[in-house]
Amino acid sequence: AEVRATLLEKFPDRSESHLIDGHIRKVNGQTEAASECYRRALQLDARRTEAYFNLVDLSPPDPADPLAETLTKLLQDPSLSQGQAANVLFSLARMYDAAGWTVEAFDFYREANAAASEAQRRLGKKYIPKVIEYQAEELMAMFGREASIGQLEPLDLGIRLIFIVGLPRSGTTLAERIL
C-alpha cells in the first residue's frame, strides 16, 4: 500500500503508475479497484495495451461493446509494436472467447500467439525446450520433493477444488474453461 501511495503521489499523471497500481490491486483480488486503475491508465495513454489486456482479463465485455471497436481500430495503427499488437489481439480473443464465439476467438488467439512469438524473437528470446526443461528441473530441485508431499489440513468449503498446473501457453486456460 505504501509503495502504491508513493508511486501515485510522485507520478499521478503517468499511465505506468496507474498500471502498476492496477496490477497490485488485481493480485490482491480487488478487481473493481484494479479495473478503475486500468481505465485511468488508458485515460492517460490510450495506447497502453497492457491496461486493455488486464481490463479485459478481469471482466471480458461482449464483442458488441465499444471497447472491441476501440481495440480493432488500435490494431490498425502501424506504429504498434509486436508486443502491443499481441496485447490487443489477446484482449479481442478473450472477449470473443467469453462470448462463446469460438471461431473468431481462435483466429485472434492464433494471431496473438504469432505476434507474441515475433515480439519475443525480436527481444532475442527463443523457445528452446531443453532450456525450459532445465529451468523446471532447477525449480523442482529448489523446493524438493517434501515441499509437495505434505498433507494439508482439510478445509470444509463445500466445494471440490481442482488445480490446473502447466507452463505458459500450454492449454491450462482451455482446460479450466472446459471444466
Side-chain angles (χ1 to χ4, degrees):
E2 190 176 317
V3 172
R4 269 189 10 253
T6 302
L7 183 65
L8 292 170
E9 180 182 311
K10 291 190 177 206
F11 306 102
D13 295 328
R14 301 282 307 260
S15 65
E16 296 93 337
S17 300
H18 297 278
L19 183 68
I20 293 168
D21 189 20
H23 292 338
I24 292 168
R25 291 176 186 273
K26 182 179 178 184
V27 166
N28 287 317
Q30 302 168 345
T31 56
E32 192 53 45
S35 294
E36 286 304 316
C37 293
Y38 295 134
R39 285 187 195 96
R40 178 67 181 135
L42 291 167
Q43 287 173 346
L44 294 168
D45 181 0
R47 293 173 44 93
R48 178 69 49 194
T49 61
E50 192 176 346
Y52 286 117
F53 176 88
N54 283 282
L55 188 60
V56 169
D57 186 50
L58 286 171
S59 179
D62 188 81
D65 190 274
L67 181 58
E69 184 178 342
T70 299
L71 290 170
T72 303
K73 285 181 183 175
L74 184 58
L75 200 53
Q76 304 309 313
D77 184 342
S79 68
L80 279 184
S81 71
Q82 289 294 318
Q84 289 173 310
N87 282 334
V88 171
L89 288 162
F90 278 124
S91 299
L92 287 165
R94 180 82 169 99
M95 290 170 70
Y96 281 86
D97 196 10
W101 297 22
T102 54
V103 173
E104 295 83 352
F106 183 83
D107 289 341
F108 281 122
Y109 280 129
R110 187 176 30 76
E111 288 183 59
N113 281 322
S117 292
E118 178 60 20
Q120 293 297 308
R121 189 192 64 73
R122 288 183 183 184
L123 293 171
K125 297 179 182 179
K126 297 178 185 175
Y127 172 69
I128 304 170
K130 290 289 183 200
V131 171
I132 299 298
E133 289 172 18
Y134 173 77
Q135 291 171 341
E137 288 170 6
E138 288 290 307
L139 280 172
M140 290 187 292
M142 185 185 315
F143 293 103
R145 182 170 169 78
E146 57 280 351
S148 63
I149 292 179
Q151 190 94 20
L152 297 175
E153 288 295 320
L155 297 174
D156 186 19
L157 300 175
I159 59 173
R160 188 170 171 205
L161 299 176
I162 298 174
F163 293 90
I164 301 170
V165 181
L167 293 172
R169 314 291 324 143
S170 67
T172 53
T173 302
L174 176 63
E176 177 233 351
R177 297 226 173 99
I178 290 171
L179 293 172

